[in-house]
């Protein structure tokens, strides 16, 4: 699990181009095949996973690469996908073609009101799932993890984490 967090921090520091408080440095190396998580915000997804192989490893690598190039983020108080986010999701959908790999999409919203944050987070997750479905990914392959304000606050709540499902 610690290795997964180190890889996530490294992936985030290398790819997002913005300051997100992750520190941006790491002295540990990733295990072969990746960590099983990918994060635009530097926060680990629900669980780490050992080395992956096959289709799951390929999809995980594609997710990491796509998010490094262009993280899926939202504007404050909005659930609309930007054109860049749509392109990133299209890349992820292409990687999911021809296999049965499932992914988890974790979204957040930084409202102080927990119910308002949960509602916006759910709308964001649905927007991502719909965009992936537009590109041929069946809805049952995308687990929505709308956390509201439970796991991220402020600017961190604008970022989305996408990972191969456990």
């Amino acid at each position: 699990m610690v290795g997964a967090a180190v890889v996530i921090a490294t992936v985030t520091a290398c790819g997002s181009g913005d300051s997100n408080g992750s520190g941006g440095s790491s002295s540990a190396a990733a295990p072969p095949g990746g960590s099983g998580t990918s994060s635009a915000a530097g926060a680990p997804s629900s669980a780490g996973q050992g080395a992956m192989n096959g289709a799951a490893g390929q999809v995980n690598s594609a997710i990491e690469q796509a998010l490094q190039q262009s993280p899926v983020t939202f504007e404050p108080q909005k659930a609309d996908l930007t054109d860049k986010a749509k392109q990133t999701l299209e890349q992820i959908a292409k990687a999911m073609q021809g296999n049965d790999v499932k992914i988890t999409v974790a979204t957040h919203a930084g409202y102080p009101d927990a119910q308002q944050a949960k509602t916006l987070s759910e709308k964001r997750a649905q927007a991502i799932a719909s965009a992936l479905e537009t590109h041929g990914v069946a809805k049952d392959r995308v687990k929505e993890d709308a956390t509201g304000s439970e796991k991220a606050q402020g600017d961190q709540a604008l970022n989305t984490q996408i990972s191969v499902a456990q």
Side-chain angles (χ1 to χ4, degrees), residues 88-97 131-133 135-137:
T88 298
L89 294 170
E90 182 177 5
Q91 290 175 349
I92 292 169
K94 285 179 184 177
M96 294 178 70
Q97 300 303 313
L132 289 167
E133 186 178 22
H135 295 291
V137 177

Side-chain angles (χ1 to χ4, degrees), residues 13-129:
C14 292
S16 69
D18 64 347
S19 174
N20 62 15
S22 68
S25 64
S26 171
S27 60
S35 67
T37 59
S38 178
S39 172
S45 63
S46 60
Q49 182 181 48
M52 285 189 285
N53 55 35
Q58 292 173 351
V59 171
N60 187 64
S61 293
I63 290 170
E64 288 179 0
Q65 183 178 12
L67 291 174
Q68 283 179 5
Q69 292 175 1
S70 182
V72 176
T73 61
F74 291 91
E75 292 184 30
Q77 302 178 5
K78 293 189 179 183
D80 302 323
L81 291 168
T82 65
D83 289 339
K84 279 188 164 188
K86 290 176 186 176
Q87 291 173 351
T88 298
L89 294 170
E90 182 177 5
Q91 290 175 349
I92 292 169
K94 285 179 184 177
M96 294 178 70
Q97 300 303 313
N99 60 58
D100 60 353
V101 174
K102 295 181 180 184
I103 62 171
T104 300
V105 175
T107 55
H108 319 282
Y111 285 112
D113 177 85
Q115 185 57 46
Q116 192 176 20
K118 184 75 169 176
T119 299
L120 179 57
S121 182
E122 289 169 350
K123 288 179 182 178
R124 289 175 173 178
Q126 290 167 359
I128 291 169

